[in-house]
Amino acid sequence: MNTSTTASAPTTPFDVERIREDFPILKRQIDAQPLVYLDNGATTQKPQSVLDAIEHYYQHYNSNVHRGAHCLSDEATHAFEQAREKVRAFLNARHAHEIIWTKGTTESINLVAASFGKAEVQAGDNVVISAMEHHSNIVPWQMLCEQAGAELRIAPVNAKGELVFDGYSALLDSRTRLVAMAHVSNALGTINPVKKIVEAAQAVGAKVLLDGAQAVSHWPTDVQALDCDFYVFSSHKLFGPTGVGILYGKEALLNTMPPYQFGGEMIEHVSFKRTLFNQLPYKFEAGTPNIAGAIGLGAAIDYLSTLESTAVMAHEAELIKYAHERAIAFDGLTIVGEAEQKTSVLSFLIDGTHPHDVGTLLDQMGVAVRTGHHCAMPIMEQFGIPGTVRASFSFYNTLDEVDALFTGLEKVRSMLL
Ligand code: C6P
């Protein structure tokens, strides 16, 4: 570890070097320098076991699910439904049929907007989101409200990047049909008080969708304890493949909702007079699903179950704490998002530089970060900035990599200023 820093670099019992061995991409070199991957908010890397599970499926039992009268289809169907059960257990949902396969968080939110939203949100109603949402949790509600003649209400966020809870609860009334909030902000790392958010919404009879895209990889999620109506996330941010995601919904609610797309597995019976829809969860799964993706996500969940979650959380807490200490000690650096409750995201600006220039130069040193508005333009606008540099951490990152980020930033500063 680089000991030149004045900030304290704590030691950790978490065997991160052993865990890094599970992720082949972490051995990559970028321009003859070790890759320092700090863009986990955009997507996480995949352990070998996930890559193996996908390859094994295609090599040994590639087939369509719920359709074939043959061995391969049976095997594929079994693995696909087993993966659904793994997601159920991962979220602690009551039933496997409360788990709907989608393409990702964005599609899951669009599904709820198009199905629940269209059926339940009428002129004069309102939908409440927060000022720190990702575009995927803004635009579907904006479009729905425009079409329905409903009002989109925006819960305020303070200068530290925290939800102003009183401001949020003041927006709720008997016409609030839905509250849709990020569990964790992708741009700021703020952890929202989701249990309190749900309770306040339920007190006025509103349903709640939690966007778990940035939360699921950091600690165990329990949808029954949260008592949310919908919970959504993407496989690719949970060490699984891209192109697959999850919509969790309470059984009773999903049963009342109309289908979202039509054709394939969501059909029970078709005649030219009328069509009967399949039961949950298939009612919401039109067409051939991403079978390999689902199996890959199941393998990612299996992988996570081999890790000690308290050790993972302690290591990640150490990473973000250390990154903050180094950021505070760095001349001319402004942290964007200083919530008391935050996780694994360090968003910042360096005086006199543009985030894109910082990101490009860091990349030349092998350090991968994201720059820009992070698909959260409204919160950037509130802070009066075009964007930030965002380092986002996962459990396979090391304190040395935090040092590599700041060594890189020192070089950037000397190059640009
Ligand atoms: N955020 C980021 O770099 P999809 O693209 O559907 O998998 O996830 C969309 C999404 C929704 N909500 C939140 C809170 C998110 O962070 C994201 C994706 C990535 O921050 C890519 S923009």
Side-chain angles (χ1 to χ4, degrees):
M1 179 175 303
N2 177 355
T3 50
S4 65
T5 167
T6 49
S8 60
T11 52
T12 167
F14 186 68
D15 193 354
V16 64
E17 292 305 333
R18 231 276 322 120
I19 279 165
R20 288 174 70 82
E21 292 294 313
D22 298 335
F23 293 80
I25 206 169
L26 298 180
K27 295 192 178 71
R28 253 207 79 168
Q29 303 268 308
I30 306 287
D31 289 339
Q33 301 153 102
L35 166 68
V36 175
Y37 186 76
L38 302 180
D39 195 16
N40 295 287
T43 198
T44 51
Q45 298 303 346
K46 322 303 172 201
Q48 186 64 49
S49 57
V50 168
L51 307 178
D52 289 346
I54 295 168
E55 188 180 277
H56 186 74
Y57 162 71
Y58 280 122
Q59 281 187 346
H60 295 279
Y61 61 104
N62 171 47
S63 184
N64 213 322
V65 289
H66 299 298
R67 286 160 171 80
H70 55 84
C71 170
L72 294 189
S73 181
D74 276 354
E75 287 177 13
T77 303
H78 178 70
F80 180 72
E81 290 304 330
Q82 212 180 24
R84 193 192 305 273
E85 169 54 28
K86 288 174 190 176
V87 176
R88 183 211 64 74
F90 177 74
L91 291 178
N92 192 33
R94 202 165 270 126
H95 308 290
H97 56 251
E98 294 177 315
I99 305 298
I100 313 293
W101 295 111
T102 66
K103 284 197 307 222
T105 305
T106 303
E107 193 188 37
S108 299
I109 297 172
N110 275 276
L111 190 164
V112 176
S115 171
F116 169 86
K118 250 193 190 145
E120 298 295 329
V121 179
Q122 315 293 335
D125 290 339
N126 65 77
V127 171
V128 177
I129 62 172
S130 86
M132 69 176 97
E133 298 307 314
H134 185 280
H135 297 164
S136 294
N137 200 30
I138 299 175
V139 186
W141 311 117
Q142 198 172 42
M143 296 296 118
L144 173 71
C145 288
E146 259 178 43
Q147 283 155 18
E151 186 190 351
L152 185 63
R153 297 183 174 174
I154 314 299
V157 169
N158 67 20
K160 289 164 87 178
E162 294 164 325
L163 181 76
V164 179
F165 196 82
D166 291 347
Y168 157 66
S169 38
L171 298 177
L172 301 170
D173 61 28
S174 62
R175 299 300 300 268
T176 306
R177 291 287 160 264
L178 186 86
V179 171
M181 295 257 182
H183 195 161
V184 170
S185 152
N186 70 316
L188 310 172
T190 307
I191 304 172
N192 277 319
V194 282
K195 182 77 185 143
K196 274 173 66 186
I197 288 170
V198 172
E199 282 165 6
Q202 283 173 346
V204 297
K207 305 295 183 209
V208 182
L209 177 146
L210 296 178
D211 172 356
Q214 297 292 340
V216 282
S217 66
H218 299 299
W219 57 74
T221 302
D222 184 336
V223 291
Q224 290 190 68
L226 290 172
D227 200 25
C228 54
D229 298 283
F230 303 107
Y231 197 93
V232 299
F233 73 91
S234 300
S235 151
H236 71 97
K237 295 189 201 288
L238 190 70
F239 316 101
T242 51
V244 67
I246 294 299
L247 164 64
Y248 155 80
K250 283 182 181 165
E251 178 188 37
L253 191 54
L254 290 174
N255 270 328
T256 65
M257 287 164 46
Y260 161 60
Q261 289 179 336
F262 302 90
E265 194 54 41
M266 56 78 61
I267 300 298
E268 173 71 36
H269 183 263
V270 176
S271 74
F272 287 120
K273 284 215 179 78
R274 80 186 192 120
T275 292
L276 294 177
F277 302 129
N278 206 338
Q279 61 197 12
L280 288 178
Y282 313 114
K283 175 172 115 176
F284 293 108
E285 294 177 357
T288 298
N290 184 346
I291 303 161
I295 290 167
L297 175 57
I301 290 171
D302 284 344
Y303 176 79
L304 288 171
S305 73
T306 66
L307 307 178
E308 174 53 59
S309 64
T310 49
V312 167
M313 289 190 288
H315 177 67
E316 288 193 12
E318 215 166 40
L319 284 171
I320 192 68
K321 180 170 172 282
Y322 182 51
H324 265 251
E325 286 173 9
R326 295 238 32 196
I328 288 163
F330 194 93
D331 253 1
L333 186 152
T334 306
I335 299 173
V336 180
E338 295 185 279
E340 295 298 322
Q341 300 296 321
K342 72 175 279 188
T343 185
S344 298
V345 169
L346 178 69
S347 246
F348 61 92
L349 291 165
I350 302 215
D351 288 352
T353 68
H354 193 282
H356 290 309
D357 296 335
V358 176
T360 304
L361 290 171
L362 284 174
D363 179 50
Q364 290 169 11
M365 300 169 214
V367 180
V369 293
R370 185 173 172 185
T371 62
H373 53 66
H374 314 299
C375 303
M377 281 175 152
I379 195 66
M380 296 293 140
E381 202 178 310
Q382 176 177 324
F383 288 139
I385 54 177
T388 70
V389 181
R390 184 188 71 179
S392 49
F393 303 95
S394 186
F395 57 74
Y396 44 60
N397 289 125
T398 65
L399 297 169
D400 283 350
E401 289 183 312
V402 177
D403 285 331
L405 168 67
F406 284 94
T407 303
L409 288 175
E410 275 155 21
K411 286 189 197 148
V412 168
R413 189 168 51 187
S414 65
M415 288 158 102
L416 292 179
L417 298 175

